[in-house]
Amino acid sequence: MAEDNLKQARTLRHIIVGGGMAGILAAIKLKEKGEAFILFEKADKLGGTWRDNRYPGLTCDVPAHAYTYSFEPYAEWQKFYATGEEIRVYFEKTAKKYDVLQHMRFGCEVTSCTWDDEKSVWQVGLANGEVHEADVVTAASGVLHHVTMPDINGLNDFQGDIVHSARWDDRVKTDNVRVGIIGNGSTGVQIVTALQKTASQVVHFQRSPQWIMPVPQFDYSDEEREAFRKDPALIDAIRNNPDYWASIYRFTAAIMNVDGDELAEVQKICEDNLNNSVTDPVLREKLRPDYRVGCKRLIYSWCYYDAVQQPNVDVEREGISHIEANGVRLKNGALIELDTLVLATGFQADRFIRPTVVLGRNGKSLDDVWQPTPTAYFAVTIPEFPNFFMLNGPSGPVGNFSLIDIAERQWDYIEQVLAPLRAGDAAQVAPSVEAHQDFEKRRADAARKTVFGSGCSSWYLDATGVPATWPWSYQDFADAMANPDFDAYIYQ
Ligand code: NA7
């Protein structure tokens, strides 16, 4: 391309893959910028995680007012921790309000993204055969999207209702029947607490116990919502509450330093919660994890210990041998008879945009580059995949804080990295191989020392057993996103 042509400021053409929280954010930001974009979503409506997950008891473990876009506070939350359905409605309303729905195409699965180095464009192929051209692709395809079915024999033999938590079906019977829940992450815990109220019997199959962080849950009154509507500064005061942010900074300090006071503090809170809440010593020991607090994602609950002490709930720690027509056969030979089985067995957290085939320079396949495990420069970009960005991509911060805030900071970073392309100074940008290797080495070295790597299994670990997470403080992340290292990027 001639130098003169490049030097003109230009509006870029974007394709966003995925219509969840991060994709909607990108759409709103691009609309504000006046750039051309299409968002492709394979489902028939937006919402991502909050569309897919509809299981009983679903709440977000980030306080509702902190789990919104910074530019779109919301007065209508019913409770301190919002339900999944409320959050889905929030995203739908926000997309409408910012008038981005017209740019979204639903029922459109992106199956390939192919980089054309001559033209400096992406050719984006859809399952229906269409091909669309874009200067920039942003993958906002989510993290916890592809479900994990447990490798337990006999799943198909079960004669009752069986459902994965993330594919909830309202026809599944849960009232006045015997329900088994396999899985003890945030999801399994929330389902147990909800179904305890309606099922005749609940059996919670726990392969590993979990630490439970006690948190308050309370209703916002009509008067409070009215006050929030009249004065959004009241919402800001909650969002920006120094105590809330201090807890995030303390939490990331705890993650980074397994010998530090912060982790000891969290450990004590969770141990006290278990010791003081569960009266039966046998049940208490059944529920006691043998790994450090925070190694697996901490579970926030105000009612789990209460629920498992109700007469219609059993916690089953004996391993599962297999599933049979009438229930779950344990390794000790006992059969637990059930009418309904819920699989709260989590997600394949290393898929990201895959199975979409992404081919960068010289036909290099992202799937190959991501063997044995996905990585990205500062969690956002990949060498040899120019003009390709990820929101909530590999090795971003994870913990009990808002992924919306993370995506907003990542978007600010992307905007800065894109600025020279908008100015017409370049047509392509990607991080250098060396910068990425250096970053990834430093990141993995630090990640091994975090509490996530302190000796437990979890979806935070990659295929090689290294935590696939941001290993430094939240402030470090905020600073990195606010100040991209332009020397790491090759513009051409
Ligand atoms: P998680 O946190 O990945 O939890 C999955 C659970 O399923 C966990 O307790 C696993 O036990 C259990 N599991 C998985 N496979 C099996 C088999 N084969 N047998 C028995 N138990 C099994 O998923 P969630 O959906 O709860 O939460 C995901 C995230 O969503 C959460 O962190 C929040 O960010 C929201 P294990 O611990 O491996 O022994």
Side-chain angles (χ1 to χ4, degrees), residues 61 144 148 150-152 165 182-188 205 207-208 210 296-297 320 344-347 457 459-460:
D61 61 9
L144 302 176
T148 298
D151 51 354
I152 302 174
S165 55
I182 300 179
N184 189 28
S186 306
T187 304
F205 296 91
R207 187 165 65 181
S208 319
Q210 287 266 25
K296 290 174 188 279
R297 186 186 165 105
I320 296 171
T345 44
F347 302 87
S457 66
W459 63 268
Y460 289 165

Side-chain angles (χ1 to χ4, degrees), residues 13-17 30 36-40 103-105 132-133:
R13 297 163 305 156
H14 296 254
I15 284 177
I16 304 164
V17 183
L30 289 172
F37 67 95
I38 313 177
L39 183 153
F40 292 116
H103 300 267
M104 298 184 178
R105 287 196 44 202
H132 296 259
E133 195 172 280

